[in-house]
Amino acid sequence: MHSRPDFVPAHVDPASTHVIVGMSGGVDSSVAAHLLKQAGFQVTGLFMKNWDEDDGTEYCTAKDDLAAASMACERLGLELTTANFAAEYWDDVFHDFLTEYRAGRTPNPDILCNREIKFKQFVDYAGTLGADFIATGHYSGLVDGRLVKALDESKDQTYFLQAVPKAQLQRCLFPLAAWHKSEVRTLAARLGLDNHDRKDSTGICFIGERRFDDFLRRYIQDTPGPMFDEHDREVGRHAGLHLYTIGQRQGLGLGGMRGRSESPWYVLAKEPGNVLRVTQNEVLLAGRWLLADEINWLEPPSGWPLQCQAKIRYRQSDQACWVRPAPGGGLSVEFVQPQRAITRGQYIALYAQDTLIAGGRIVEHEPWRANL
């Protein structure tokens, strides 16, 4: 008798449970679908199209992704259905993306996509098809209702799930929670899946392989302005604030300036008056505190201050911090060690060991002048 896979909730009988798995065309969702079927679930695949750019362009991969998803489902003996959430994506994700850039912030559309599309529109749509659960190929897990890091921490994706309400997560299964990526590829090859060695998708889905700057210029007009260093000396001109990120050191066009050292230049801040602040002093990029709003509590705190760990970007190692309530329902986070390039518009994920307890959008941080 086979033991129960650890991604199956104890109260669930797979034989009488219908699961719709999001099929992206990649190896992770394909193996997730196989594991669900192997566990005895009634499994259907769903391919979601979230961006309505012409499929004939060199940038759009939707046709290739759908073909890969179709081949995987055929190999696994699963039905594949399709859904177009492009209108919802434009309204709930892409509109926010442009608004944030125009306001001088740097958004993370992948986090919004999970909240608004993959764990909202997808969940609701699956319900209309009679599904009991949805499933995805995310590297994360659910243990007793808690969202926990995947066994393969190098691939853990809980950071990207931080904005998804707990009620939505409870309707999801994560078959890859206890798998390493190398094991997933090995199993896919053994199953004869053509995508076993397919390259992982990277970057923002609607941009694809094109240059980020070129894409932004289709929607946001460049507004050139001055670059000032930390001493208020004008050192150059920028092409438009939306084209730069905090901590950036490439593409500033300041190399080899007469009378300057050869040390690299970094983007320090985007400031009112269309000013890009830059520096050669990397110490100025460090900050010990930030404010976050739009807090999504997955495990509400039992008291204050809250001592936990945090990530302010994907793949960052856990950073010790103290968390306190801030006006308006937000949070004030103070780090034990200074953090490099804290960025407004990005997201902070809070952890208690391996459990994701909350997430929020960064709206303010320690001013760089505090380090002068």
Side-chain angles (χ1 to χ4, degrees):
M1 184 176 180
H2 295 292
S3 61
R4 181 186 296 272
D6 54 11
F7 66 84
V8 180
H11 65 281
V12 171
D13 174 23
S16 60
T17 303
H18 182 201
V19 180
I20 296 183
V21 57
M23 300 293 291
S24 66
V27 66
D28 295 328
S29 58
S30 299
V31 169
H34 164 75
L35 294 175
L36 289 161
K37 185 177 179 181
Q38 186 181 54
F41 288 99
Q42 304 167 32
V43 184
T44 304
L46 176 70
F47 178 82
M48 292 173 277
K49 185 176 181 183
N50 299 329
W51 187 251
D52 250 349
E53 186 162 348
D54 179 6
D55 291 347
T57 69
E58 62 180 300
Y59 304 115
C60 188
T61 63
K63 285 178 64 176
D64 292 340
D65 292 341
L66 176 56
S70 298
M71 292 178 67
C73 282
E74 183 177 354
R75 182 68 181 177
L76 296 171
L78 302 177
E79 177 189 357
L80 178 68
T81 60
T82 61
N84 190 326
F85 297 133
E88 292 83 357
Y89 192 97
W90 182 280
D91 291 341
D92 300 331
V93 179
F94 190 64
H95 182 269
D96 181 273
F97 171 84
L98 294 180
T99 298
E100 288 291 280
Y101 267 108
R102 288 173 178 140
R105 296 182 288 267
T106 304
N108 191 320
D110 291 330
I111 289 176
L112 282 183
C113 180
N114 281 327
R115 185 184 76 187
E116 300 295 336
I117 306 299
K118 294 180 181 177
F119 294 87
K120 182 179 179 182
Q121 298 297 335
F122 180 17
V123 168
D124 292 344
Y125 184 78
T128 67
L129 300 180
D132 301 294
F133 289 92
I134 67 164
T136 72
H138 283 91
Y139 285 84
S140 58
L142 284 168
V143 176
D144 298 327
R146 295 179 294 109
L147 185 63
V148 299
K149 293 179 182 177
L151 181 65
D152 187 349
E153 285 208 37
S154 68
K155 290 294 182 180
D156 175 65
Q157 293 174 300
T158 52
Y159 175 84
F160 292 114
L161 302 180
Q162 60 170 282
V164 180
K166 187 167 185 173
Q168 301 294 87
L169 291 171
Q170 303 310 305
R171 299 173 64 184
C172 188
L173 300 177
F174 296 107
L176 302 186
W179 287 72
H180 284 86
K181 181 66 178 235
S182 58
E183 296 174 315
V184 168
R185 289 199 181 277
T186 298
L187 177 56
R190 192 162 71 242
L191 294 172
L193 293 170
D194 291 336
N195 59 10
H196 69 90
D197 59 352
R198 194 179 192 215
K199 183 180 178 183
D200 290 340
S201 60
T202 58
I204 302 170
C205 61
F206 50 77
I207 294 178
E209 299 299 322
R210 83 193 84 190
R211 281 173 51 88
F212 187 79
D213 291 1
D214 292 342
F215 178 83
L216 274 185
R217 287 186 170 111
R218 296 179 57 184
Y219 300 94
I220 303 176
Q221 182 178 354
D222 289 353
T223 305
M227 289 187 191
F228 288 100
D229 68 9
E230 66 270 30
H231 303 296
D232 294 324
R233 296 174 297 205
E234 185 168 350
V235 296
R237 301 280 294 175
H238 67 79
L241 294 183
H242 57 284
L243 303 175
Y244 303 87
T245 58
I246 307 304
Q248 176 182 332
R249 61 171 288 181
Q250 303 291 334
L252 299 183
L254 296 178
M257 291 179 57
R258 182 178 300 175
R260 299 286 184 182
S261 73
E262 294 300 319
S263 299
W265 289 87
Y266 301 91
V267 173
L268 184 57
K270 302 177 185 182
E271 299 180 346
N274 197 29
V275 170
L276 188 70
R277 186 74 61 172
V278 297
T279 185
Q280 290 179 297
N281 182 3
E282 195 172 3
V283 172
L284 298 182
L285 288 168
R288 282 188 177 271
W289 65 264
L290 62 81
L291 294 177
D293 68 1
E294 297 184 3
I295 308 302
N296 177 44
W297 284 107
L298 298 177
E299 305 296 330
S302 57
W304 303 104
L306 175 64
Q307 186 176 13
C308 60
Q309 301 84 44
K311 296 179 188 293
I312 59 171
R313 58 182 61 89
Y314 181 50
R315 295 193 187 283
Q316 183 186 28
S317 59
D318 289 358
Q319 303 294 306
C321 64
W322 293 91
V323 181
R324 295 173 174 84
L331 292 176
S332 172
V333 181
E334 183 178 357
F335 294 95
V336 173
Q337 298 294 329
Q339 301 298 302
R340 185 184 188 277
I342 302 174
T343 304
R344 293 186 305 134
Q346 290 287 292
Y347 284 77
I348 179 171
L350 303 178
Y351 294 86
Q353 303 306 319
D354 289 339
T355 299
L356 180 66
I357 59 176
R361 185 184 62 164
I362 300 170
V363 293
E364 196 52 78
H365 54 80
E366 184 174 5
W368 60 266
R369 292 185 185 276
N371 291 322
L372 281 177

